[in-house]
Amino acid sequence: MPPKIFATGTTGYVGGDILHVLLETYPWWEQHITCLARSPSRGAALSAAYPKITVVYGDLNDSEIIEEESSKADIVLHFASSDHVGAASAIKRGMEKGVGGYWIHTSGTDILLNPKILGGGRDDDGEVKVYDDWDNVGELFAFPDAHSHRSCDKMVQSTSSEKIKTAIICPPTIWGKGRGSGSTRSHQIYEIARLTLEKGSHIQLLPSSYPKSFWPNIHIYDLAKLYLEVIGSALAELQAKEGKATWNEEGYYFAENGVHYWQDVADWIADKAVKQGVLKSRTAEAEVVEINVLLKATGPAPLNMGATCRSYRAEKLLGWKPTKGELRDEISEIVRSEAERAGMQKGA
């Protein structure tokens, strides 16, 4: 018998891609999946792609709907927000009211950031901290409340029990075109490409006096494979078989394929834009982006100089390894898609 699944955020980039690969792998699950959609147009797109799923309408503030659907589910997949405490609280109440099951929650590596950079401050006052999800997994459940996403992560932690098993999946910068029925565009790298094309020049993300900033990354297909492995493990346990995943206080999974330097990414984008004829030239003096403009476009990760992560747990337990290559290999396609999105022609 397929599990009953309630999912949020399935018209978004991450949730949409994972719903796609989930139903590609288990097509007979479709009629057992309920998805939250916040508008008729988004619900219609879901129904057109997956006619047998159930769509319920509401947003993350509709606690009664989220609570009710969570109470009926064997597996809750929460993709919609890693910061909406009300929605996380509603999932908690619903699952505690129901028969129990599995909550697979999407957080994000912004939780690793030094809180002082969230408002544009500098983060270059010490050694780089490499967080891991294996030997030091306990650190990931003990961040101070000032860290991004911490409030929702704590809500998941407080739900963990024998009745309700929880897993937090924590992706970094994601790249690659999604396969969902809604948004197929990621954010951070694509916004740097947009800024480059919008300004019509090579851009410098941070003042030259700053050390080089960096961040981990992953292709959306590789991330989806990790979710599929964790969901498959929940299914095995629901069928009274042995699953490979760990849950609750050991239920934390990074997903990364190495790190990129943010200014390198901006340089690669400029080079590819010149080659594609959507940028006239790469200037010797790059235009420095104002910090507030950068934060609005990408969030605070491009200011990171102090933290990164390693994804040991998925590899050790699930045999998961990224296979989709390097971020640099995707830059040409990112520039092409952003130029097309902006209505730009070669040589413009």
Side-chain angles (χ1 to χ4, degrees):
M1 181 71 177
K4 295 178 181 177
I5 294 176
F6 173 56
T8 70
T10 52
T11 61
Y13 173 64
V14 172
D17 195 80
I18 291 153
L19 181 63
H20 167 87
V21 76
L22 183 65
L23 288 175
E24 189 176 63
T25 306
Y26 304 106
W28 58 94
W29 286 15
E30 188 173 322
Q31 62 188 337
H32 300 275
I33 296 176
T34 297
C35 295
L36 181 73
R38 68 173 182 259
S39 70
S41 61
R42 289 173 179 266
L46 272 172
S47 295
Y50 314 109
K52 295 180 182 177
I53 67 166
T54 299
V55 177
V56 293
Y57 289 97
D59 61 27
L60 295 181
N61 294 314
D62 288 312
S63 297
E64 290 184 4
I65 295 172
I66 295 171
E67 182 177 337
E68 175 64 19
E69 296 302 330
S70 297
S71 74
K72 298 184 289 187
D74 299 310
I75 301 173
V76 173
L77 305 175
H78 188 37
F79 304 113
S81 173
S82 51
D83 291 307
H84 198 293
V85 177
S89 180
I91 292 171
K92 172 184 170 70
R93 292 194 304 273
M95 295 198 78
E96 289 176 343
K97 184 172 68 176
V99 297
Y102 295 80
W103 178 0
I104 300 171
H105 177 80
T106 304
S107 186
T109 50
D110 274 12
I111 197 170
L112 309 181
L113 292 171
N114 187 329
K116 73 180 182 181
I117 75 170
L118 301 180
R122 289 183 64 157
D123 176 33
D124 57 350
D125 53 0
E127 294 183 2
V128 174
K129 169 70 174 177
V130 181
Y131 291 92
D132 77 84
D133 56 11
W134 188 254
D135 290 327
N136 299 293
V137 67
E139 292 184 323
L140 310 179
F141 292 108
F143 286 109
D145 289 351
H147 281 246
S148 294
H149 312 325
R150 181 62 183 137
S151 295
C152 281
D153 275 18
K154 285 173 66 177
M155 191 66 66
V156 179
Q157 283 178 253
S158 71
T159 310
S160 300
S161 66
E162 280 300 309
K163 176 182 175 181
I164 304 164
K165 294 185 178 181
T166 64
I168 295 174
I169 297 180
C170 193
T173 292
I174 311 169
W175 50 279
K177 185 177 180 180
R179 297 164 289 184
S181 66
S183 175
T184 59
R185 176 185 183 264
S186 191
H187 182 60
Q188 292 162 321
I189 307 295
Y190 297 77
E191 282 294 289
I192 293 172
R194 179 189 64 79
L195 283 174
T196 300
L197 299 176
E198 191 176 272
K199 291 180 178 296
S201 69
H202 176 213
I203 62 174
Q204 184 172 315
L205 302 180
L206 297 175
S208 57
S209 60
Y210 280 48
K212 291 184 77 172
S213 59
F214 55 88
W215 204 232
N217 66 76
I218 193 70
H219 192 284
I220 183 64
Y221 289 14
D222 287 325
L223 178 61
K225 284 195 306 181
L226 174 55
Y227 275 92
L228 197 62
E229 290 287 348
V230 177
I231 294 167
S233 196
L235 173 66
E237 294 187 21
L238 285 167
Q239 295 175 338
K241 300 174 184 175
E242 185 175 352
K244 297 178 180 179
T246 49
W247 307 94
N248 298 349
E249 68 274 4
E250 293 185 338
Y252 207 105
Y253 298 83
F254 286 129
E256 51 80 25
N257 189 25
V259 302
H260 59 272
Y261 287 96
W262 287 105
Q263 188 56 48
D264 287 351
V265 170
D267 294 346
W268 299 338
I269 286 169
D271 287 341
K272 292 298 183 183
V274 170
K275 287 181 180 179
Q276 292 181 22
V278 292
L279 196 67
K280 290 182 179 179
S281 65
R282 177 176 162 178
T283 56
E285 284 278 334
E287 181 177 344
V288 179
V289 179
E290 294 180 9
I291 291 292
N292 65 319
V293 173
L294 182 64
L295 288 171
K296 184 177 179 180
T298 65
L303 278 66
N304 171 68
M305 302 162 201
T308 188
C309 66
R310 294 297 304 274
S311 52
Y312 295 126
R313 185 167 297 273
E315 182 176 353
K316 287 177 180 289
L317 296 180
L318 308 173
W320 174 87
K321 289 184 179 180
T323 61
K324 296 306 292 183
E326 302 294 328
L327 168 60
R328 187 170 188 172
D329 298 331
E330 185 77 7
I331 295 297
S332 182
E333 174 58 23
I334 291 171
V335 170
R336 186 208 62 76
S337 66
E338 287 301 299
E340 181 180 90
R341 187 169 177 263
M344 299 179 70
Q345 302 294 323
K346 289 184 177 181

